[in-house]
Amino acid sequence: MHEFGFIDWLRKRQTPGHQTTIGIGDDTAGFRFSPGCDALITTDMLLEGSCFLLAEAGAEAVGRKALAVNLSDIAAMAGIPKAALISLALPRKKGAEIAQGLFRGIESLARDYEVEIIGGDTNSWNGPLSISITLFGESTAKGPVKRSGAEIGDVIFVTGPLGGSILGRHLNFEPRVREALQLHRAFDLHSMIDLSDGLSRDLGHICEESHCGAEIWARELPITPAAQQLSRQDGRTPEYHALHDGEDFELCFTVSESVAEQIRKDPMWNCTAIGRIQKAEQGIRLLDENNQWQPLEAQGYQHEFD
Amino acid sequence: MHEFGFIDWLRKRQTPGHQTTIGIGDDTAGFRFSPGCDALITTDMLLEGSCFLLAEAGAEAVGRKALAVNLSDIAAMAGIPKAALISLALPRKKGAEIAQGLFRGIESLARDYEVEIIGGDTNSWNGPLSISITLFGESTAKGPVKRSGAEIGDVIFVTGPLGGSILGRHLNFEPRVREALQLHRAFDLHSMIDLSDGLSRDLGHICEESHCGAEIWARELPITPAAQQLSRQDGRTPEYHALHDGEDFELCFTVSESVAEQIRKDPMWNCTAIGRIQKAEQGIRLLDENNQWQPLEAQGYQHEFD
C-alpha cells in the first residue's frame, strides 16, 4: 500500500537476467514457483538499537545483513533462494540516504545469490529504523532438509569456525547457501540448521525436533580468531564462545557414519565433525577440554520481553 | 531467527482444517502452491504513531487491520488468500499484552478468510509498535486481474460507498476478497485496484498502467454517511471526500459496456458505475455536481519523507 516511488526505484535496479515475476502492479507481486517444488518462506526483522547500531554499522551493512540472515534460513534447508520483499520503516531524518545505503547492501548480496527484489513497503515515521525482509526460495528436487531428521549415531558437522561473531562477522558473514546445496546434492543430509542463536541452543532445536540427544567434543570445535580474542578479554574459554555465541551463521548438519567418512576424507568439504547424535535420554552433553563429560546447557541468545 | 515461543504460540492457535504447510522448523515455513497458479505476494507494514494510534485503536483492531490491508491487495487481483507471515517489533512495555491483542485481531480475520499463519518474527525493542504482514495468495484458474488491462470505453465500477473512512471504517472494513472472486468468476474484468490511497489517486494507477484516461461522474458516486458527516464539519463536499479520502478499501474495476449492463441490472452485485475509461489524451476528468467538466487531480494520501 504505502509506496513512494519505491517500486520505481527498485525496477531500475532489478537484478538483470531474471524473468520470474509477472508484472501486476505495485502492491502485489506475482511469482511462479517451479512445478512440484516446495515454496520455502522465511522472514526476519532487524531493529535499530536492538539488533544493530546504525551509526556504527552503517546502512549498507545493515541492508546486507537483513538479506543475509534470511539467506541463511533458506540455506539451512538446502533451498534455492529466489525472491525477496523488503519492508522498511525509515526515520524521517535522512530517510532517503538511509534507504539508499540499505538498498546498496541488499542489492549487492541479491546479485551474488540471484535473488530478485519483487516488492516491498516503504514508510517513514518518527521511530528508529526497522527493516523486515521476507525471502522466498524453492526446495531442490531432493526436497528440503529439515531439523527433524537426525538419527541416533549420526555425526554432527559444522561448516566453519565458530564464536566471536560480535567482533564483526555478524555483519559480513557469507550465508552458506552454496555449501548447503553442494552437500545436499552429494549426500543424504539427515538434519540441518543454521547457527543463529549459538550452537548450544540451535543444536537443541535439532535434538528437540528429532527426539534425540547429542554429544559435542569440545576439543574438535573449530574456533575463530575472534573467539580467541574475546577469550583473552573476558577470561571465558574460546570453546565457551564457540559453543554459545550467536550469529555464526554457519550450518550445523548431521549425517550417517558412512557419509561422515566421505566428508572427512575429502578436504574440499571443509566441514568439521564436532559430535554425535545420541539417544534422547542422554540429553545434550559436552566432552570438555579436560575430557570430562558435563551437561551442555543452552546459553546462546535468548529473546526476551515483558 | 528471533523467536521466543512465538511459533509455539501460533501452533496452538493455528486455523484448524488447513494442512497446506509442511512442518520444517521454526525459522522457515514450507508451502505448496497449487500447480500452475501464480503465487501472489504482498506485504504491508503498519507503524504506531504514523499509521495508527495504539492507545486509541487498541491492539486487536490494529492486528485485524494489518491483515485486512493485505487481504485487500490480494482481492485487488481476484486472488485467493492462503497464508501469512507476521513480523512484529513490540515495545518492551506491555509487549506480551500487545502481542496477544494483535493476534486476536489477526486470528479472527484469518479464520474468516481461511488464511493460515505459517510463521513470522517477533522482537521487542525500545521503539514504538511496528507490524509487518506478508500475505501469500494464489490466482484462480482465470489468472490474476491486473491494473494494466483497462480498455477505452470500459465502464468504471466501485464495490461500495466511498469517503470518510478516517471516522472508523479504516479499522474495521471488510476486505472485498469474496466480491472480487465472484465478479472474476462471472465476468471478464479488464482491470482492478483496491482503493487505499483515494479514488483519484488509485484510478490514476489504472490509467497510468493501462495507458488511458478516464472520466468520473460526481453525481453517480456512492457516498458514505461518514463522508456526509465530514462534509458538515469541514465544508468540503461529500463528493470531495468520496474522490480523495484514503483507506476506503473498496475495489475499483473496469469492464466492457456489455458486462456493465449485466452488473447494473442485477442488484446482487451491489456495484456502482461511476465513470468511463477514455483515451489517454483526455487525462482524468470529473463531471462535477454542476455538470461541469474539470480535471481530476489526485489528492489522496501521498507518502512523504526527507
Coordinates of all heavy atoms in Angstrom, one line a residue, chain B residues 195-271:
Chain B
L195 N -8.9 0.5 -3.3 CA -8.9 1.9 -3.1 C -8.2 2.2 -1.7 O -8.9 2.2 -0.7 CB -10.3 2.6 -3.2 CG -10.9 2.4 -4.6 CD1 -12.3 3.0 -4.6 CD2 -10.0 3.1 -5.6
S196 N -6.9 2.3 -1.7 CA -6.2 2.5 -0.4 C -5.8 4.0 -0.3 O -5.8 4.5 0.8 CB -5.0 1.6 -0.3 OG -4.2 1.7 -1.4
D197 N -5.4 4.6 -1.4 CA -4.9 5.9 -1.3 C -5.9 7.0 -1.8 O -5.5 8.1 -2.0 CB -3.6 6.0 -2.2 CG -2.5 5.2 -1.6 OD1 -2.6 4.8 -0.4 OD2 -1.5 4.9 -2.3
G198 N -7.1 6.6 -2.0 CA -8.1 7.5 -2.5 C -8.4 7.3 -4.0 O -7.5 7.0 -4.8
L199 N -9.7 7.4 -4.4 CA -10.1 7.0 -5.7 C -9.3 7.8 -6.8 O -8.9 7.3 -7.8 CB -11.6 7.3 -5.9 CG -12.2 7.2 -7.3 CD1 -12.1 5.8 -7.8 CD2 -13.7 7.6 -7.3
S200 N -9.2 9.1 -6.5 CA -8.5 10.0 -7.5 C -7.1 9.5 -7.8 O -6.6 9.5 -8.9 CB -8.5 11.4 -7.1 OG -7.8 11.6 -5.8
R201 N -6.4 9.0 -6.7 CA -5.0 8.6 -6.9 C -5.0 7.1 -7.4 O -4.2 6.8 -8.3 CB -4.3 8.6 -5.5 CG -2.8 8.4 -5.6 CD -2.1 8.7 -4.4 NE -2.2 10.1 -4.0 CZ -1.4 11.1 -4.6 NH1 -0.5 10.8 -5.4 NH2 -1.6 12.4 -4.2
D202 N -5.8 6.3 -6.9 CA -5.8 4.9 -7.3 C -6.3 4.7 -8.8 O -5.7 3.8 -9.5 CB -6.5 4.0 -6.3 CG -5.8 3.9 -5.0 OD1 -4.5 3.7 -5.0 OD2 -6.4 3.9 -3.9
L203 N -7.3 5.4 -9.2 CA -7.7 5.4 -10.6 C -6.6 5.8 -11.5 O -6.4 5.3 -12.6 CB -9.0 6.3 -10.8 CG -9.5 6.4 -12.2 CD1 -10.0 5.0 -12.6 CD2 -10.6 7.4 -12.3
G204 N -5.8 6.8 -11.0 CA -4.6 7.2 -11.7 C -3.7 6.1 -12.0 O -3.0 6.0 -13.1
H205 N -3.5 5.1 -11.0 CA -2.7 4.0 -11.3 C -3.2 3.1 -12.4 O -2.4 2.6 -13.2 CB -2.6 3.1 -10.0 CG -1.9 3.8 -8.9 ND1 -0.7 4.5 -9.0 CD2 -2.2 3.9 -7.5 CE1 -0.3 5.0 -7.8 NE2 -1.2 4.7 -6.9
I206 N -4.5 2.9 -12.4 CA -5.1 2.1 -13.5 C -4.8 2.8 -14.8 O -4.4 2.2 -15.8 CB -6.6 1.9 -13.3 CG1 -6.8 0.8 -12.2 CG2 -7.3 1.5 -14.6 CD1 -8.3 0.4 -12.0
C207 N -5.1 4.1 -14.9 CA -4.9 4.9 -16.1 C -3.4 4.8 -16.6 O -3.1 4.6 -17.8 CB -5.4 6.3 -16.0 SG -7.2 6.4 -15.8
E208 N -2.5 5.0 -15.6 CA -1.1 5.0 -16.0 C -0.7 3.6 -16.5 O -0.1 3.6 -17.6 CB -0.3 5.3 -14.7 CG 1.1 5.6 -14.9 CD 1.9 5.7 -13.6 OE1 1.3 5.8 -12.6 OE2 3.2 5.7 -13.7
E209 N -1.1 2.6 -15.8 CA -0.6 1.3 -16.3 C -1.4 0.7 -17.5 O -0.9 -0.1 -18.2 CB -0.7 0.3 -15.1 CG 0.2 0.8 -13.9 CD 0.6 -0.3 -12.9 OE1 0.6 -1.5 -13.3 OE2 0.9 0.1 -11.8
S210 N -2.6 1.3 -17.7 CA -3.3 0.9 -18.9 C -3.2 1.9 -20.0 O -3.8 1.7 -21.1 CB -4.8 0.7 -18.5 OG -5.0 -0.2 -17.5
H211 N -2.4 2.9 -19.8 CA -2.2 3.9 -20.9 C -3.5 4.5 -21.4 O -3.7 4.5 -22.6 CB -1.3 3.4 -22.0 CG -0.1 2.7 -21.5 ND1 1.0 3.4 -21.0 CD2 0.2 1.4 -21.5 CE1 1.9 2.5 -20.7 NE2 1.5 1.3 -20.9
C212 N -4.3 5.0 -20.4 CA -5.6 5.5 -20.8 C -5.9 6.7 -19.9 O -5.2 7.0 -19.0 CB -6.7 4.4 -20.8 SG -6.9 3.8 -19.1
G213 N -7.0 7.4 -20.3 CA -7.6 8.4 -19.4 C -8.9 7.9 -18.8 O -9.3 6.7 -19.0
A214 N -9.6 8.8 -18.1 CA -10.9 8.4 -17.5 C -11.8 9.6 -17.3 O -11.3 10.7 -17.1 CB -10.6 7.6 -16.2
E215 N -13.1 9.3 -17.2 CA -14.0 10.4 -16.7 C -14.8 9.8 -15.5 O -15.1 8.6 -15.5 CB -14.9 10.9 -17.8 CG -15.8 9.8 -18.4 CD -16.7 10.3 -19.5 OE1 -16.1 11.0 -20.4 OE2 -17.9 9.9 -19.6
I216 N -15.0 10.6 -14.5 CA -15.7 10.2 -13.3 C -16.9 11.1 -13.2 O -16.8 12.3 -13.4 CB -14.9 10.3 -12.1 CG1 -13.7 9.4 -12.1 CG2 -15.7 10.1 -10.8 CD1 -14.1 7.9 -12.1
W217 N -18.1 10.5 -12.9 CA -19.3 11.3 -12.8 C -19.7 11.5 -11.3 O -20.1 10.6 -10.6 CB -20.5 10.5 -13.5 CG -20.1 9.9 -14.9 CD1 -19.4 10.6 -15.8 CD2 -20.3 8.6 -15.3 NE1 -19.2 9.8 -16.9 CE2 -19.8 8.5 -16.7 CE3 -21.0 7.5 -14.8 CZ2 -19.9 7.4 -17.4 CZ3 -21.1 6.3 -15.6 CH2 -20.5 6.3 -16.9
A218 N -19.4 12.7 -10.9 CA -19.6 13.0 -9.4 C -21.0 12.7 -8.9 O -21.1 12.1 -7.8 CB -19.3 14.5 -9.2
R219 N -22.0 12.9 -9.7 CA -23.3 12.6 -9.2 C -23.6 11.2 -9.0 O -24.6 10.8 -8.4 CB -24.4 13.2 -10.2 CG -24.4 14.7 -10.2 CD -25.5 15.2 -11.2 NE -25.7 16.6 -11.1 CZ -26.6 17.3 -11.7 NH1 -27.5 16.6 -12.4 NH2 -26.8 18.6 -11.5
E220 N -22.8 10.3 -9.6 CA -23.1 8.9 -9.5 C -22.3 8.2 -8.4 O -22.5 7.1 -8.0 CB -22.6 8.2 -10.8 CG -23.3 8.7 -12.1 CD -24.8 8.5 -12.0 OE1 -25.2 7.4 -11.4 OE2 -25.6 9.3 -12.5
L221 N -21.4 9.0 -7.8 CA -20.5 8.4 -6.7 C -21.3 8.0 -5.5 O -22.1 8.8 -5.0 CB -19.5 9.5 -6.2 CG -18.3 9.8 -7.2 CD1 -17.6 11.1 -6.7 CD2 -17.4 8.7 -7.3
P222 N -21.2 6.7 -5.1 CA -21.8 6.3 -3.8 C -21.0 6.9 -2.7 O -19.8 6.8 -2.6 CB -21.7 4.8 -3.9 CG -20.5 4.5 -4.7 CD -20.3 5.7 -5.7
I223 N -21.8 7.5 -1.7 CA -21.1 8.2 -0.7 C -21.5 7.7 0.7 O -22.7 7.5 0.9 CB -21.5 9.7 -0.8 CG1 -20.8 10.3 -2.1 CG2 -21.1 10.5 0.4 CD1 -21.1 11.6 -2.5
T224 N -20.6 7.6 1.6 CA -20.9 7.0 2.9 C -21.5 8.1 3.8 O -21.2 9.3 3.6 CB -19.6 6.6 3.6 OG1 -18.7 7.7 3.8 CG2 -18.8 5.5 2.8
P225 N -22.2 7.7 4.8 CA -22.7 8.7 5.8 C -21.5 9.4 6.5 O -21.6 10.6 6.8 CB -23.4 7.8 6.9 CG -23.8 6.6 6.1 CD -22.8 6.4 5.0
A226 N -20.3 8.7 6.6 CA -19.2 9.3 7.2 C -18.7 10.5 6.4 O -18.2 11.5 6.9 CB -18.1 8.3 7.4
A227 N -18.7 10.3 5.1 CA -18.3 11.4 4.2 C -19.2 12.6 4.3 O -18.8 13.8 4.3 CB -18.2 10.9 2.8
Q228 N -20.5 12.3 4.5 CA -21.5 13.4 4.7 C -21.2 14.1 6.0 O -21.2 15.4 6.1 CB -22.9 12.8 4.8 CG -23.4 11.9 3.7 CD -23.9 12.7 2.5 OE1 -23.8 13.9 2.4 NE2 -24.4 11.9 1.5
Q229 N -20.9 13.3 7.0 CA -20.6 13.9 8.3 C -19.3 14.8 8.3 O -19.3 15.9 8.8 CB -20.4 12.8 9.3 CG -20.2 13.2 10.8 CD -20.0 12.1 11.7 OE1 -20.4 10.9 11.5 NE2 -19.3 12.3 12.8
L230 N -18.3 14.3 7.6 CA -17.0 15.1 7.5 C -17.3 16.4 6.7 O -16.8 17.4 7.0 CB -16.0 14.3 6.7 CG -15.1 13.3 7.5 CD1 -14.0 12.8 6.6 CD2 -14.5 14.0 8.7
S231 N -18.2 16.2 5.7 CA -18.5 17.4 4.9 C -19.2 18.5 5.7 O -18.8 19.7 5.6 CB -19.5 17.0 3.8 OG -20.1 18.1 3.2
R232 N -20.0 18.1 6.7 CA -20.6 19.1 7.5 C -19.6 19.7 8.4 O -19.7 20.9 8.8 CB -21.7 18.4 8.4 CG -23.0 18.1 7.6 CD -24.2 17.7 8.4 NE -23.9 16.4 9.1 CZ -24.2 15.2 8.6 NH1 -24.7 15.1 7.4 NH2 -23.9 14.1 9.3
Q233 N -18.6 19.0 8.8 CA -17.5 19.5 9.7 C -16.5 20.4 9.0 O -16.1 21.4 9.5 CB -16.7 18.4 10.3 CG -17.6 17.5 11.3 CD -16.8 16.3 11.8 OE1 -15.6 16.1 11.5 NE2 -17.6 15.4 12.5
D234 N -16.1 20.1 7.8 CA -15.1 20.8 7.1 C -15.5 21.6 5.9 O -14.6 22.3 5.3 CB -13.9 19.9 6.8 CG -14.2 18.9 5.7 OD1 -15.3 19.0 5.1 OD2 -13.4 17.9 5.5
G235 N -16.7 21.6 5.6 CA -17.2 22.4 4.5 C -16.9 21.9 3.1 O -17.3 22.5 2.1
R236 N -16.0 20.8 3.0 CA -15.8 20.3 1.7 C -17.0 19.4 1.3 O -17.8 19.0 2.1 CB -14.6 19.4 1.7 CG -13.3 20.2 1.8 CD -12.1 19.3 2.0 NE -10.9 20.1 1.7 CZ -9.7 19.7 2.1 NH1 -9.5 18.7 2.9 NH2 -8.6 20.5 1.8
T237 N -17.2 19.2 0.0 CA -18.4 18.5 -0.4 C -18.2 17.0 -0.1 O -17.1 16.5 0.0 CB -18.6 18.6 -2.0 OG1 -17.5 18.0 -2.6 CG2 -18.8 20.0 -2.4
P238 N -19.3 16.3 0.1 CA -19.2 14.8 0.3 C -18.5 14.2 -0.9 O -17.8 13.2 -0.7 CB -20.7 14.4 0.4 CG -21.5 15.6 0.8 CD -20.7 16.8 0.2
E239 N -18.8 14.7 -2.1 CA -18.1 14.1 -3.3 C -16.6 14.3 -3.2 O -15.8 13.4 -3.6 CB -18.6 14.8 -4.6 CG -20.0 14.5 -5.0 CD -21.1 15.2 -4.1 OE1 -20.7 16.1 -3.4 OE2 -22.3 14.8 -4.2
Y240 N -16.1 15.4 -2.7 CA -14.7 15.6 -2.5 C -14.1 14.5 -1.6 O -13.1 13.9 -1.9 CB -14.4 17.0 -1.8 CG -12.9 17.2 -1.6 CD1 -12.2 17.9 -2.5 CD2 -12.3 16.7 -0.5 CE1 -10.8 18.1 -2.3 CE2 -10.9 16.9 -0.3 CZ -10.2 17.6 -1.2 OH -8.8 17.8 -1.0
H241 N -14.8 14.2 -0.5 CA -14.3 13.1 0.4 C -14.4 11.7 -0.4 O -13.4 10.9 -0.2 CB -15.1 13.0 1.6 CG -14.8 14.2 2.6 ND1 -13.6 14.2 3.3 CD2 -15.5 15.3 2.9 CE1 -13.6 15.4 4.0 NE2 -14.7 16.0 3.8
A242 N -15.4 11.5 -1.1 CA -15.5 10.2 -1.8 C -14.4 10.1 -2.9 O -13.9 9.0 -3.1 CB -16.9 10.1 -2.5
L243 N -14.0 11.2 -3.5 CA -13.0 11.2 -4.5 C -11.6 11.0 -4.0 O -10.7 10.4 -4.6 CB -13.1 12.4 -5.4 CG -14.2 12.6 -6.3 CD1 -14.3 14.0 -6.8 CD2 -14.0 11.6 -7.5
H244 N -11.4 11.7 -2.8 CA -10.0 11.8 -2.4 C -9.6 11.2 -1.1 O -8.4 11.0 -0.8 CB -9.6 13.3 -2.3 CG -9.9 14.1 -3.6 ND1 -9.2 13.7 -4.7 CD2 -10.7 15.1 -3.9 CE1 -9.6 14.5 -5.7 NE2 -10.5 15.4 -5.2
D245 N -10.5 10.8 -0.2 CA -10.2 10.2 1.1 C -9.5 8.9 0.8 O -9.8 8.1 -0.1 CB -11.4 10.0 2.0 CG -11.9 11.3 2.5 OD1 -11.3 12.4 2.3 OD2 -13.0 11.3 3.2
G246 N -8.6 8.5 1.7 CA -7.9 7.2 1.5 C -8.6 6.1 2.4 O -9.5 6.4 3.1
E247 N -8.1 4.9 2.2 CA -8.4 3.8 3.0 C -9.9 3.4 3.0 O -10.5 3.0 3.9 CB -8.0 4.0 4.5 CG -6.5 4.3 4.6 CD -5.8 3.7 5.8 OE1 -6.4 3.8 6.9 OE2 -4.7 3.2 5.6
D248 N -10.5 3.6 1.8 CA -11.9 3.0 1.6 C -11.8 1.5 1.5 O -12.7 0.8 2.0 CB -12.5 3.5 0.3 CG -13.0 4.9 0.4 OD1 -13.7 5.2 1.4 OD2 -12.7 5.8 -0.5
F249 N -10.8 1.0 0.9 CA -10.6 -0.5 0.7 C -11.8 -1.1 0.0 O -12.1 -2.3 0.1 CB -10.3 -1.2 2.0 CG -8.9 -0.7 2.5 CD1 -8.9 0.1 3.6 CD2 -7.8 -1.1 1.8 CE1 -7.6 0.5 4.1 CE2 -6.5 -0.6 2.3 CZ -6.5 0.2 3.4
E250 N -12.6 -0.3 -0.8 CA -13.4 -0.9 -1.8 C -12.6 -1.2 -3.0 O -11.5 -0.7 -3.2 CB -14.6 0.1 -2.2 CG -15.5 0.4 -1.0 CD -16.3 -0.8 -0.5 OE1 -16.4 -1.8 -1.3 OE2 -16.9 -0.7 0.6
L251 N -13.2 -2.0 -4.0 CA -12.5 -2.2 -5.2 C -13.0 -1.3 -6.3 O -14.2 -1.0 -6.3 CB -12.7 -3.7 -5.6 CG -12.1 -4.7 -4.7 CD1 -12.6 -6.1 -5.1 CD2 -10.6 -4.6 -4.6
C252 N -12.1 -0.9 -7.2 CA -12.5 -0.2 -8.4 C -12.1 -1.0 -9.6 O -10.9 -1.5 -9.6 CB -11.7 1.2 -8.4 SG -11.9 2.1 -9.9
F253 N -13.0 -1.3 -10.5 CA -12.7 -2.2 -11.6 C -13.3 -1.7 -12.9 O -14.3 -0.9 -12.8 CB -13.1 -3.7 -11.3 CG -14.6 -3.9 -11.1 CD1 -15.4 -4.2 -12.1 CD2 -15.1 -3.7 -9.8 CE1 -16.8 -4.4 -11.9 CE2 -16.5 -3.9 -9.6 CZ -17.3 -4.3 -10.7
T254 N -12.8 -2.2 -14.0 CA -13.4 -1.7 -15.3 C -13.8 -2.9 -16.1 O -13.1 -4.0 -16.1 CB -12.4 -0.9 -16.1 OG1 -11.4 -1.7 -16.7 CG2 -11.7 0.2 -15.2
V255 N -14.9 -2.8 -16.8 CA -15.5 -3.9 -17.6 C -16.0 -3.3 -18.9 O -16.3 -2.1 -19.0 CB -16.6 -4.6 -16.9 CG1 -16.0 -5.4 -15.7 CG2 -17.7 -3.7 -16.5
S256 N -16.2 -4.1 -19.9 CA -16.8 -3.6 -21.2 C -18.3 -3.2 -20.9 O -18.9 -3.5 -19.9 CB -16.9 -4.8 -22.2 OG -17.8 -5.8 -21.7
E257 N -18.8 -2.4 -21.9 CA -20.2 -1.9 -21.8 C -21.2 -3.1 -21.6 O -22.1 -2.9 -20.8 CB -20.5 -1.1 -23.0 CG -21.9 -0.5 -23.1 CD -22.1 0.5 -21.9 OE1 -21.3 1.4 -21.8 OE2 -23.1 0.4 -21.2
S258 N -21.0 -4.2 -22.3 CA -22.0 -5.2 -22.2 C -21.9 -5.9 -20.9 O -23.0 -6.3 -20.3 CB -21.7 -6.3 -23.4 OG -20.5 -6.9 -23.2
V259 N -20.8 -6.1 -20.3 CA -20.7 -6.6 -18.9 C -21.3 -5.6 -17.9 O -22.0 -6.0 -17.0 CB -19.2 -7.0 -18.5 CG1 -19.1 -7.3 -17.0 CG2 -18.7 -8.1 -19.4
A260 N -21.0 -4.4 -18.2 CA -21.6 -3.3 -17.3 C -23.1 -3.4 -17.2 O -23.7 -3.2 -16.2 CB -21.1 -1.9 -17.8
E261 N -23.7 -3.7 -18.4 CA -25.1 -3.8 -18.4 C -25.6 -4.9 -17.5 O -26.6 -4.8 -16.7 CB -25.6 -4.1 -19.8 CG -25.9 -2.8 -20.6 CD -26.8 -1.9 -19.8 OE1 -28.0 -2.2 -19.5 OE2 -26.3 -0.8 -19.4
Q262 N -24.9 -6.0 -17.5 CA -25.3 -7.2 -16.7 C -25.1 -6.9 -15.2 O -25.9 -7.3 -14.4 CB -24.4 -8.4 -17.0 CG -24.6 -8.9 -18.4 CD -23.7 -10.1 -18.7 OE1 -23.9 -11.2 -18.1 NE2 -22.8 -10.0 -19.7
I263 N -24.0 -6.2 -14.9 CA -23.8 -5.8 -13.5 C -24.9 -4.8 -13.0 O -25.4 -4.9 -11.9 CB -22.4 -5.3 -13.3 CG1 -21.3 -6.3 -13.6 CG2 -22.2 -4.7 -11.9 CD1 -19.9 -5.9 -13.5
R264 N -25.2 -3.9 -13.9 CA -26.2 -2.9 -13.5 C -27.5 -3.5 -13.2 O -28.2 -3.1 -12.3 CB -26.3 -1.8 -14.6 CG -25.3 -0.7 -14.6 CD -25.8 0.4 -15.5 NE -24.8 1.5 -15.7 CZ -24.1 1.6 -16.8 NH1 -24.2 0.7 -17.8 NH2 -23.2 2.6 -16.9
K265 N -27.9 -4.4 -14.1 CA -29.3 -4.9 -14.0 C -29.5 -5.9 -12.9 O -30.7 -6.2 -12.6 CB -29.8 -5.4 -15.3 CG -29.3 -6.7 -15.8 CD -29.8 -7.0 -17.2 CE -29.3 -8.4 -17.6 NZ -29.3 -8.6 -19.1
D266 N -28.5 -6.4 -12.3 CA -28.6 -7.4 -11.2 C -28.2 -6.9 -9.9 O -27.0 -6.7 -9.6 CB -27.8 -8.7 -11.6 CG -28.0 -9.8 -10.6 OD1 -28.6 -9.5 -9.5 OD2 -27.7 -11.0 -10.9
P267 N -29.2 -6.6 -9.0 CA -28.8 -5.9 -7.8 C -27.9 -6.7 -6.8 O -27.3 -6.1 -5.9 CB -30.2 -5.6 -7.1 CG -31.1 -6.6 -7.8 CD -30.6 -6.8 -9.2
M268 N -27.8 -8.0 -7.1 CA -27.0 -8.8 -6.2 C -25.5 -8.3 -6.2 O -24.8 -8.5 -5.3 CB -27.0 -10.3 -6.5 CG -26.2 -10.7 -7.7 SD -25.7 -12.5 -7.7 CE -24.0 -12.4 -7.1
W269 N -25.1 -7.7 -7.3 CA -23.7 -7.3 -7.4 C -23.4 -6.1 -6.6 O -22.3 -5.9 -6.1 CB -23.3 -7.0 -8.9 CG -23.3 -8.3 -9.7 CD1 -24.1 -8.7 -10.6 CD2 -22.4 -9.4 -9.5 NE1 -23.8 -9.9 -11.1 CE2 -22.8 -10.4 -10.4 CE3 -21.3 -9.7 -8.6 CZ2 -22.1 -11.7 -10.4 CZ3 -20.7 -10.9 -8.7 CH2 -21.1 -11.9 -9.6
N270 N -24.4 -5.2 -6.4 CA -24.3 -4.1 -5.4 C -23.1 -3.2 -5.8 O -22.4 -2.8 -4.9 CB -24.1 -4.7 -4.0 CG -24.5 -3.7 -3.0 OD1 -25.2 -2.7 -3.3 ND2 -24.0 -3.9 -1.8
C271 N -22.8 -3.1 -7.1 CA -21.7 -2.3 -7.5 C -22.2 -1.1 -8.2 O -23.3 -1.1 -8.8 CB -20.8 -3.0 -8.5 SG -20.0 -4.4 -7.7

